[in-house]
Amino acid sequence: MAEAPYHDWLASLAEMEAVDPLHLACVLTRSAGMDGPRTDPLMESRDLTRDLRMLRSLPLEQHGFDEPELTRWRLRLVGYAQLVEMDGPLFVMANLLRLKCGLSYSLSPFVDLRKRMEKAEREGRQLPFGIPSVPLSSKLQKMDSLAAKAGVTPASEIFGRFYFRELRNAIQHADYALDGKRFCMRSGCIPEKAGGNVMVPYVPLERIDEILTEAETFYDRFFSVEEHIRGSLAQSRGQVLPYDPGLKGLLEFLVDDAGLLCGWKVHWPNGSDSYFRRDESGCKAVNWHFSDSGPSLMVGLIHEEHERSRFSPLVHKDAEPKYTPCEGSDEPIHWPKSASDGDLPVS
């Protein structure tokens, strides 16, 4: 089983030193704009995958299914197609690779690929299989380029253990049949054995089982590692990190009821906040927007030089810095004296 290599590769993506903590929080919460409840495709995919597994575990023969084993195969095939089509994990992995390369968090890490596809459409050039969206193979090439700069194993080497475009297409386009022993593709071929060069259109179900198991294991590991990292960051609940030494912003990691990172908030010394939260009620994004350099935070009024205090340009010379408290607390928070650049006493 490939569980350990998958876990090690995914964990290596999050091994970073001197990374911007706000950008890391943006990656893990997939920070974007406002949205309503139950509008997260990644959570929908997780729920579907769980539902399909639960259905496979039922005694189908007791529920009117004449060929329960074939039904279980069909459910697994639908689950495989869903797994390899999920954008959410690719979004997180590509952004983690960007951070490892010293780049910023990107709201659309594959936007350049999509623009190229749109240009090809406008010019009337034929797209692969007539699919207007960016294919996974192109996304993996983009991730491989980032992985080379970051010094980690290429993504295509990892995904190559379980992703086969022809298999995916056969399932998505309903271009296959099961004869009880084989997966019969009507167009296309895949390797008969792992690492083999013999390509076959009729694939033994034992081989299909290997591929599907690899895919299921990889995505199980992805969600496990992602949850572990979010849980680790959530341990700083109720605490703040000095974030902006010039403006004196304080970064707080927001935590959901499950004890996992679900957002971030930057407290400013003028009593305003910039934040993003993703939970069951939807997504809330306040006082920030996305730019080419990542999240651009709105801080309020910048006082003129003769009006600003020595503590921060956000604080008037006659005022004291005042931050909003951490979530769920009434206790005031302060810029730590050890991190203060000015000689004005920290409130």
Side-chain angles (χ1 to χ4, degrees):
M1 182 61 64
E3 183 171 353
Y6 288 157
H7 184 280
D8 293 345
W9 183 76
L10 290 164
S12 73
L13 302 188
E15 292 175 356
M16 305 180 199
E17 295 182 3
V19 67
D20 187 312
L22 174 59
H23 285 241
L24 179 59
C26 283
V27 172
L28 295 171
T29 58
R30 292 169 288 121
S31 298
M34 302 285 284
D35 216 339
R38 300 194 65 84
T39 53
D40 185 351
L42 181 58
M43 294 301 100
E44 181 66 25
S45 292
R46 289 188 68 172
D47 290 345
L48 174 60
T49 301
R50 178 203 61 201
D51 291 349
L52 291 173
R53 286 186 176 181
M54 292 181 66
L55 287 171
R56 293 192 338 241
S57 68
L58 294 176
L60 299 179
E61 60 279 357
Q62 299 178 17
H63 295 275
F65 291 90
D66 296 331
E67 299 176 304
E69 286 309 309
L70 286 181
T71 300
R72 293 187 175 94
W73 275 111
R74 292 169 185 137
L75 291 172
R76 285 191 75 188
L77 292 170
V78 170
Y80 170 85
Q82 184 79 11
L83 289 176
V84 299
E85 287 297 313
M86 288 191 295
D87 269 343
L90 297 174
F91 175 96
V92 173
M93 288 182 274
N95 263 305
L96 288 176
L97 285 168
R98 285 179 59 86
L99 296 193
K100 287 183 75 70
C101 294
L103 302 174
S104 65
Y105 164 73
S106 175
L107 191 64
S108 302
F110 304 110
V111 67
D112 56 328
L113 302 178
R114 187 172 297 278
K115 288 179 179 178
R116 281 200 291 252
M117 298 285 286
E118 292 172 350
K119 181 180 179 182
E121 281 189 292
R122 290 195 301 270
E123 295 175 351
R125 285 184 278 140
Q126 186 176 3
L127 299 174
F129 301 100
I131 301 170
S133 60
V134 179
L136 177 56
S137 57
S138 296
K139 294 176 182 177
L140 292 178
Q141 289 178 7
K142 176 78 172 182
M143 292 170 64
D144 282 352
S145 176
L146 292 169
K149 295 177 182 177
V152 300
T153 302
S156 58
E157 183 176 324
I158 300 297
F159 279 75
R161 301 171 68 102
F162 59 82
Y163 174 69
F164 298 93
R165 185 178 60 186
E166 293 80 3
L167 175 59
R168 173 265 180 207
N169 286 344
I171 299 169
Q172 289 289 72
H173 299 293
D175 196 24
Y176 74 92
L178 298 173
D179 69 3
K181 295 182 179 180
R182 299 172 301 177
F183 178 89
C184 307
M185 305 169 63
R186 306 313 301 172
S187 60
C189 302
I190 65 172
E192 185 178 25
K193 297 181 180 179
N197 296 320
V198 178
M199 309 293 287
V200 295
Y202 289 5
V203 189
L205 288 181
E206 291 80 7
R207 171 64 176 142
I208 296 297
D209 177 62
E210 291 176 1
I211 295 172
L212 271 53
T213 299
E214 291 277 0
E216 293 160 357
T217 300
F218 174 79
Y219 285 100
D220 282 347
R221 288 303 90 202
F222 168 80
F223 286 116
S224 176
V225 170
E226 181 254 6
E227 184 174 297
H228 174 75
I229 300 170
R230 289 171 57 209
S232 297
L233 293 178
Q235 292 180 8
S236 63
R237 185 176 199 162
Q239 304 174 32
V240 290
L241 301 171
Y243 179 68
D244 188 318
L247 299 179
K248 301 298 191 296
L250 293 170
L251 174 62
E252 174 189 4
F253 292 137
L254 305 182
V255 182
D256 62 18
D257 294 338
L260 301 174
L261 176 79
C262 69
W264 51 267
K265 179 181 287 189
V266 178
H267 304 258
W268 302 110
N270 58 3
S272 66
D273 299 321
S274 303
Y275 71 89
F276 175 82
R277 169 185 280 277
R278 180 188 295 274
D279 57 25
E280 292 182 355
S281 66
C283 296
K284 296 179 181 178
V286 175
N287 288 338
W288 73 281
H289 66 275
F290 190 79
S291 67
D292 291 340
S293 58
S296 180
L297 309 184
M298 302 175 191
V299 299
L301 178 64
I302 300 288
H303 293 280
E304 297 295 334
E305 185 66 35
H306 66 282
E307 294 180 339
R308 71 177 61 163
S309 72
R310 287 170 290 172
F311 178 74
S312 167
L314 299 181
V315 180
H316 191 274
K317 65 178 181 178
D318 298 325
E320 294 292 326
K322 184 177 181 180
Y323 296 93
T324 58
C326 287
E327 203 171 74
S329 172
D330 295 325
E331 295 296 321
I333 60 175
H334 311 282
W335 182 266
K337 293 183 178 181
S338 60
S340 180
D341 295 331
D343 53 4
L344 186 73
V346 178
S347 174

